[in-house]
Amino acid sequence: MFNKQNVKEFRSDFQQAVAKLEEQYGCNISLGTISFDGSELRSKMTARKGEKIVKATKDDFQIGDAVGINHKKVNPNDMFIIYKINSKNIGVKGANGQMMRVSPSLLVKK
């Protein structure tokens, strides 16, 4: 029977199990949101070619840092400057003046 604790353990065990595949194929494998009920769990798995991306926390950044955003809808070459650090997200400003709030786990230092 699946419960919240089992699912958390499953996610960490899954990451350990696919570490060999990541090394063998030179890609990053991540598990998306996990939905579950008593007898099954469902999730989307994504494998991307490239370097291993370490998820950052808000403590890894300072105001004025130049960062990129690791998201499929954002150009990986775009550069943003951090202008505000909130408790759960970080405010960034793009070259064209576009301002947005982003989860720290999506930010990559440039």
Side-chain angles (χ1 to χ4, degrees):
M1 179 154 195
F2 289 111
N3 59 36
K4 195 172 186 176
Q5 184 62 35
N6 291 35
V7 172
K8 284 183 180 181
E9 291 171 7
F10 177 87
R11 179 180 291 281
S12 64
D13 291 345
F14 179 85
Q15 285 303 124
Q16 291 173 1
V18 299
K20 185 177 178 186
L21 291 173
E22 289 177 329
E23 185 179 316
Q24 182 178 351
Y25 292 100
C27 64
N28 298 310
I29 300 174
S30 62
L31 200 58
T33 303
I34 299 175
S35 303
F36 67 95
D37 58 26
S39 61
E40 70 178 18
L41 59 85
R42 298 163 300 285
S43 182
K44 176 179 163 184
M45 182 190 78
T46 305
R48 286 198 176 97
K49 284 285 193 184
E51 302 174 7
K52 182 78 174 163
I53 297 168
V54 178
K55 292 195 176 192
T57 64
K58 69 176 187 153
D59 299 326
D60 297 332
F61 300 101
Q62 295 179 355
I63 293 175
D65 283 353
V67 295
I69 299 177
N70 181 26
H71 190 274
K72 63 185 176 186
K73 292 187 178 181
V74 178
N75 183 343
N77 298 323
D78 287 352
M79 189 173 311
F80 300 88
I81 303 296
I82 295 176
Y83 71 90
K84 186 174 185 181
I85 299 176
N86 298 320
S87 61
K88 292 187 180 180
N89 54 42
I90 294 179
V92 295
K93 188 177 206 177
N96 60 359
Q98 178 184 14
M99 298 170 86
M100 62 181 94
R101 286 178 293 213
V102 182
S103 170
S105 63
L106 295 176
L107 295 178
V108 180
K109 285 193 175 185
K110 294 256 181 170

